[in-house]
mmCIF file of all heavy atoms in Angstrom:
data_model
loop_
_atom_site.group_PDB
_atom_site.id
_atom_site.type_symbol
_atom_site.label_atom_id
_atom_site.label_comp_id
_atom_site.label_asym_id
_atom_site.label_seq_id
_atom_site.Cartn_x
_atom_site.Cartn_y
_atom_site.Cartn_z
ATOM 1 N N LEU A 339 15.405 6.813 1.196
ATOM 2 C CA LEU A 339 14.930 5.576 1.807
ATOM 3 C C LEU A 339 14.811 4.492 0.746
ATOM 4 O O LEU A 339 14.421 4.762 -0.392
ATOM 5 C CB LEU A 339 13.564 5.790 2.465
ATOM 6 C CG LEU A 339 13.448 6.899 3.517
ATOM 7 C CD1 LEU A 339 12.022 6.962 4.065
ATOM 8 C CD2 LEU A 339 14.449 6.707 4.642
ATOM 9 N N ILE A 340 15.116 3.266 1.138
ATOM 10 C CA ILE A 340 14.908 2.118 0.267
ATOM 11 C C ILE A 340 13.883 1.204 0.928
ATOM 12 O O ILE A 340 13.937 0.963 2.137
ATOM 13 C CB ILE A 340 16.237 1.377 -0.043
ATOM 14 C CG1 ILE A 340 16.014 0.336 -1.148
ATOM 15 C CG2 ILE A 340 16.852 0.775 1.213
ATOM 16 C CD1 ILE A 340 17.314 -0.194 -1.749
ATOM 17 N N THR A 341 12.929 0.751 0.139
ATOM 18 C CA THR A 341 11.787 -0.007 0.649
ATOM 19 C C THR A 341 11.690 -1.338 -0.080
ATOM 20 O O THR A 341 11.990 -1.433 -1.280
ATOM 21 C CB THR A 341 10.489 0.818 0.438
ATOM 22 O OG1 THR A 341 10.587 2.026 1.176
ATOM 23 C CG2 THR A 341 9.258 0.059 0.887
ATOM 24 N N TYR A 342 11.257 -2.347 0.649
ATOM 25 C CA TYR A 342 11.046 -3.691 0.099
ATOM 26 C C TYR A 342 9.534 -3.918 0.053
ATOM 27 O O TYR A 342 8.920 -4.322 1.041
ATOM 28 C CB TYR A 342 11.725 -4.717 0.998
ATOM 29 C CG TYR A 342 11.924 -6.083 0.388
ATOM 30 C CD1 TYR A 342 12.261 -6.250 -0.955
ATOM 31 C CD2 TYR A 342 11.818 -7.226 1.181
ATOM 32 C CE1 TYR A 342 12.483 -7.510 -1.496
ATOM 33 C CE2 TYR A 342 12.040 -8.495 0.651
ATOM 34 C CZ TYR A 342 12.366 -8.633 -0.686
ATOM 35 O OH TYR A 342 12.586 -9.879 -1.218
ATOM 36 N N PRO A 343 8.885 -3.653 -1.090
ATOM 37 C CA PRO A 343 7.418 -3.663 -1.144
ATOM 38 C C PRO A 343 6.764 -4.954 -0.663
ATOM 39 O O PRO A 343 5.706 -4.913 -0.028
ATOM 40 C CB PRO A 343 7.129 -3.410 -2.628
ATOM 41 C CG PRO A 343 8.306 -2.618 -3.102
ATOM 42 C CD PRO A 343 9.477 -3.192 -2.364
ATOM 43 N N VAL A 344 7.374 -6.124 -0.932
ATOM 44 C CA VAL A 344 6.702 -7.380 -0.589
ATOM 45 C C VAL A 344 6.548 -7.570 0.911
ATOM 46 O O VAL A 344 5.651 -8.290 1.363
ATOM 47 C CB VAL A 344 7.419 -8.601 -1.199
ATOM 48 C CG1 VAL A 344 7.331 -8.583 -2.712
ATOM 49 C CG2 VAL A 344 8.861 -8.708 -0.720
ATOM 50 N N THR A 345 7.403 -6.945 1.723
ATOM 51 C CA THR A 345 7.271 -7.076 3.173
ATOM 52 C C THR A 345 6.866 -5.779 3.852
ATOM 53 O O THR A 345 6.626 -5.762 5.057
ATOM 54 C CB THR A 345 8.594 -7.562 3.807
ATOM 55 O OG1 THR A 345 9.610 -6.562 3.620
ATOM 56 C CG2 THR A 345 9.035 -8.880 3.216
ATOM 57 N N GLN A 346 6.778 -4.690 3.083
ATOM 58 C CA GLN A 346 6.458 -3.390 3.693
ATOM 59 C C GLN A 346 5.190 -2.797 3.077
ATOM 60 O O GLN A 346 4.090 -3.132 3.487
ATOM 61 C CB GLN A 346 7.667 -2.447 3.561
ATOM 62 C CG GLN A 346 8.857 -2.928 4.395
ATOM 63 C CD GLN A 346 10.040 -1.984 4.308
ATOM 64 O OE1 GLN A 346 10.542 -1.674 3.229
ATOM 65 N NE2 GLN A 346 10.518 -1.522 5.458
ATOM 66 N N THR A 347 5.318 -1.939 2.097
ATOM 67 C CA THR A 347 4.166 -1.191 1.589
ATOM 68 C C THR A 347 3.063 -2.069 1.024
ATOM 69 O O THR A 347 1.890 -1.697 1.042
ATOM 70 C CB THR A 347 4.619 -0.208 0.495
ATOM 71 O OG1 THR A 347 5.297 -0.939 -0.541
ATOM 72 C CG2 THR A 347 5.550 0.835 1.075
ATOM 73 N N HIS A 348 3.421 -3.251 0.496
ATOM 74 C CA HIS A 348 2.431 -4.107 -0.164
ATOM 75 C C HIS A 348 2.331 -5.491 0.482
ATOM 76 O O HIS A 348 1.903 -6.451 -0.153
ATOM 77 C CB HIS A 348 2.751 -4.222 -1.658
ATOM 78 C CG HIS A 348 2.537 -2.941 -2.411
ATOM 79 N ND1 HIS A 348 3.325 -1.837 -2.231
ATOM 80 C CD2 HIS A 348 1.596 -2.579 -3.326
ATOM 81 C CE1 HIS A 348 2.890 -0.850 -3.009
ATOM 82 N NE2 HIS A 348 1.857 -1.284 -3.680
ATOM 83 N N ALA A 349 2.702 -5.557 1.760
ATOM 84 C CA ALA A 349 2.698 -6.848 2.459
ATOM 85 C C ALA A 349 1.299 -7.447 2.560
ATOM 86 O O ALA A 349 1.139 -8.678 2.550
ATOM 87 C CB ALA A 349 3.293 -6.688 3.852
ATOM 88 N N ASP A 350 0.272 -6.620 2.653
ATOM 89 C CA ASP A 350 -1.104 -7.102 2.804
ATOM 90 C C ASP A 350 -1.799 -7.356 1.470
ATOM 91 O O ASP A 350 -2.958 -7.779 1.449
ATOM 92 C CB ASP A 350 -1.927 -6.115 3.634
ATOM 93 C CG ASP A 350 -1.498 -6.075 5.093
ATOM 94 O OD1 ASP A 350 -0.925 -7.089 5.552
ATOM 95 O OD2 ASP A 350 -1.730 -5.049 5.762
ATOM 96 N N VAL A 351 -1.111 -7.076 0.375
ATOM 97 C CA VAL A 351 -1.697 -7.315 -0.946
ATOM 98 C C VAL A 351 -1.496 -8.792 -1.293
ATOM 99 O O VAL A 351 -0.380 -9.308 -1.193
ATOM 100 C CB VAL A 351 -1.035 -6.420 -2.014
ATOM 101 C CG1 VAL A 351 -1.611 -6.720 -3.390
ATOM 102 C CG2 VAL A 351 -1.219 -4.944 -1.648
ATOM 103 N N PRO A 352 -2.553 -9.506 -1.693
ATOM 104 C CA PRO A 352 -2.400 -10.925 -2.037
ATOM 105 C C PRO A 352 -1.300 -11.140 -3.068
ATOM 106 O O PRO A 352 -1.119 -10.332 -3.988
ATOM 107 C CB PRO A 352 -3.782 -11.294 -2.600
ATOM 108 C CG PRO A 352 -4.723 -10.325 -1.941
ATOM 109 C CD PRO A 352 -3.946 -9.049 -1.811
ATOM 110 N N GLU A 353 -0.568 -12.244 -2.903
ATOM 111 C CA GLU A 353 0.593 -12.509 -3.748
ATOM 112 C C GLU A 353 0.245 -12.519 -5.231
ATOM 113 O O GLU A 353 1.006 -11.998 -6.057
ATOM 114 C CB GLU A 353 1.226 -13.843 -3.362
ATOM 115 C CG GLU A 353 2.501 -14.152 -4.147
ATOM 116 C CD GLU A 353 3.134 -15.466 -3.745
ATOM 117 O OE1 GLU A 353 2.464 -16.262 -3.049
ATOM 118 O OE2 GLU A 353 4.295 -15.703 -4.129
ATOM 119 N N GLU A 354 -0.928 -13.082 -5.587
ATOM 120 C CA GLU A 354 -1.268 -13.150 -7.006
ATOM 121 C C GLU A 354 -1.449 -11.755 -7.608
ATOM 122 O O GLU A 354 -1.120 -11.522 -8.775
ATOM 123 C CB GLU A 354 -2.533 -13.993 -7.222
ATOM 124 C CG GLU A 354 -3.808 -13.456 -6.596
ATOM 125 C CD GLU A 354 -4.028 -13.935 -5.161
ATOM 126 O OE1 GLU A 354 -3.046 -14.396 -4.523
ATOM 127 O OE2 GLU A 354 -5.175 -13.841 -4.685
ATOM 128 N N ILE A 355 -1.947 -10.812 -6.801
ATOM 129 C CA ILE A 355 -2.101 -9.441 -7.288
ATOM 130 C C ILE A 355 -0.736 -8.768 -7.401
ATOM 131 O O ILE A 355 -0.445 -8.075 -8.376
ATOM 132 C CB ILE A 355 -3.041 -8.637 -6.364
ATOM 133 C CG1 ILE A 355 -4.451 -9.235 -6.397
ATOM 134 C CG2 ILE A 355 -3.076 -7.167 -6.775
ATOM 135 C CD1 ILE A 355 -5.421 -8.559 -5.454
ATOM 136 N N ARG A 356 0.110 -8.979 -6.393
ATOM 137 C CA ARG A 356 1.459 -8.407 -6.442
ATOM 138 C C ARG A 356 2.208 -8.877 -7.689
ATOM 139 O O ARG A 356 2.813 -8.081 -8.416
ATOM 140 C CB ARG A 356 2.259 -8.803 -5.197
ATOM 141 C CG ARG A 356 1.852 -8.108 -3.919
ATOM 142 C CD ARG A 356 2.997 -8.087 -2.919
ATOM 143 N NE ARG A 356 3.613 -9.390 -2.714
ATOM 144 C CZ ARG A 356 3.276 -10.246 -1.754
ATOM 145 N NH1 ARG A 356 2.307 -9.932 -0.912
ATOM 146 N NH2 ARG A 356 3.909 -11.396 -1.632
ATOM 147 N N LEU A 357 2.165 -10.182 -7.925
ATOM 148 C CA LEU A 357 2.896 -10.728 -9.066
ATOM 149 C C LEU A 357 2.319 -10.248 -10.388
ATOM 150 O O LEU A 357 3.053 -9.961 -11.345
ATOM 151 C CB LEU A 357 2.887 -12.261 -9.003
ATOM 152 C CG LEU A 357 3.692 -12.878 -7.854
ATOM 153 C CD1 LEU A 357 3.489 -14.385 -7.806
ATOM 154 C CD2 LEU A 357 5.170 -12.531 -7.979
ATOM 155 N N LYS A 358 1.007 -10.150 -10.462
ATOM 156 C CA LYS A 358 0.365 -9.646 -11.677
ATOM 157 C C LYS A 358 0.804 -8.219 -11.981
ATOM 158 O O LYS A 358 0.979 -7.829 -13.145
ATOM 159 C CB LYS A 358 -1.160 -9.715 -11.535
ATOM 160 C CG LYS A 358 -1.914 -9.274 -12.784
ATOM 161 C CD LYS A 358 -3.416 -9.399 -12.601
ATOM 162 C CE LYS A 358 -4.164 -8.953 -13.851
ATOM 163 N NZ LYS A 358 -5.643 -9.044 -13.663
ATOM 164 N N ASN A 359 0.996 -7.428 -10.914
ATOM 165 C CA ASN A 359 1.424 -6.045 -11.092
ATOM 166 C C ASN A 359 2.922 -5.926 -11.341
ATOM 167 O O ASN A 359 3.415 -4.840 -11.679
ATOM 168 C CB ASN A 359 1.048 -5.213 -9.860
ATOM 169 C CG ASN A 359 -0.449 -4.976 -9.759
ATOM 170 O OD1 ASN A 359 -1.175 -5.140 -10.736
ATOM 171 N ND2 ASN A 359 -0.915 -4.599 -8.583
ATOM 172 N N GLY A 360 3.647 -7.035 -11.145
ATOM 173 C CA GLY A 360 5.090 -7.013 -11.391
ATOM 174 C C GLY A 360 5.934 -6.851 -10.152
ATOM 175 O O GLY A 360 7.157 -6.668 -10.246
ATOM 176 N N ILE A 361 5.312 -6.893 -8.971
ATOM 177 C CA ILE A 361 6.047 -6.748 -7.718
ATOM 178 C C ILE A 361 6.525 -8.125 -7.270
ATOM 179 O O ILE A 361 5.721 -8.988 -6.911
ATOM 180 C CB ILE A 361 5.162 -6.118 -6.621
ATOM 181 C CG1 ILE A 361 4.570 -4.783 -7.095
ATOM 182 C CG2 ILE A 361 5.956 -5.921 -5.338
ATOM 183 C CD1 ILE A 361 3.486 -4.237 -6.189
ATOM 184 N N THR A 362 7.827 -8.344 -7.292
ATOM 185 C CA THR A 362 8.396 -9.633 -6.930
ATOM 186 C C THR A 362 9.297 -9.487 -5.704
ATOM 187 O O THR A 362 9.502 -8.380 -5.188
ATOM 188 C CB THR A 362 9.224 -10.209 -8.092
ATOM 189 O OG1 THR A 362 10.461 -9.477 -8.190
ATOM 190 C CG2 THR A 362 8.474 -10.106 -9.411
ATOM 191 N N THR A 363 9.865 -10.588 -5.282
ATOM 192 C CA THR A 363 10.798 -10.567 -4.150
ATOM 193 C C THR A 363 12.142 -9.946 -4.533
ATOM 194 O O THR A 363 13.013 -9.771 -3.677
ATOM 195 C CB THR A 363 11.042 -11.991 -3.622
ATOM 196 O OG1 THR A 363 11.476 -12.831 -4.702
ATOM 197 C CG2 THR A 363 9.771 -12.567 -3.002
ATOM 198 N N ALA A 364 12.306 -9.601 -5.796
ATOM 199 C CA ALA A 364 13.529 -8.937 -6.260
ATOM 200 C C ALA A 364 13.295 -7.454 -6.553
ATOM 201 O O ALA A 364 14.161 -6.788 -7.129
ATOM 202 C CB ALA A 364 14.062 -9.632 -7.510
ATOM 203 N N THR A 365 12.120 -6.932 -6.162
ATOM 204 C CA THR A 365 11.761 -5.536 -6.431
ATOM 205 C C THR A 365 12.126 -4.643 -5.251
ATOM 206 O O THR A 365 11.768 -4.929 -4.101
ATOM 207 C CB THR A 365 10.249 -5.412 -6.715
ATOM 208 O OG1 THR A 365 9.909 -6.227 -7.845
ATOM 209 C CG2 THR A 365 9.868 -3.970 -7.010
ATOM 210 N N LEU A 366 12.799 -3.540 -5.531
ATOM 211 C CA LEU A 366 13.158 -2.541 -4.526
ATOM 212 C C LEU A 366 12.654 -1.172 -4.981
ATOM 213 O O LEU A 366 12.573 -0.901 -6.177
ATOM 214 C CB LEU A 366 14.678 -2.485 -4.340
ATOM 215 C CG LEU A 366 15.346 -3.762 -3.824
ATOM 216 C CD1 LEU A 366 16.860 -3.653 -3.942
ATOM 217 C CD2 LEU A 366 14.940 -4.041 -2.381
ATOM 218 N N ARG A 367 12.328 -0.327 -4.011
ATOM 219 C CA ARG A 367 11.835 1.024 -4.333
ATOM 220 C C ARG A 367 12.682 2.052 -3.603
ATOM 221 O O ARG A 367 12.903 1.940 -2.402
ATOM 222 C CB ARG A 367 10.372 1.171 -3.918
ATOM 223 C CG ARG A 367 9.691 2.435 -4.445
ATOM 224 C CD ARG A 367 8.371 2.695 -3.725
ATOM 225 N NE ARG A 367 8.588 3.164 -2.373
ATOM 226 C CZ ARG A 367 7.621 3.388 -1.474
ATOM 227 N NH1 ARG A 367 6.364 3.143 -1.801
ATOM 228 N NH2 ARG A 367 7.903 3.821 -0.258
#
Side-chain angles (χ1 to χ4, degrees):
L339 304 180
I340 190 166
T341 298
Y342 196 38
V344 294
T345 65
Q346 293 182 304
T347 56
H348 291 69
D350 291 336
V351 178
E353 184 179 13
E354 63 271 18
I355 296 177
R356 287 204 310 266
L357 292 174
K358 183 178 180 181
N359 289 343
I361 305 169
T362 74
T363 54
T365 301
L366 297 169
R367 191 194 73 185

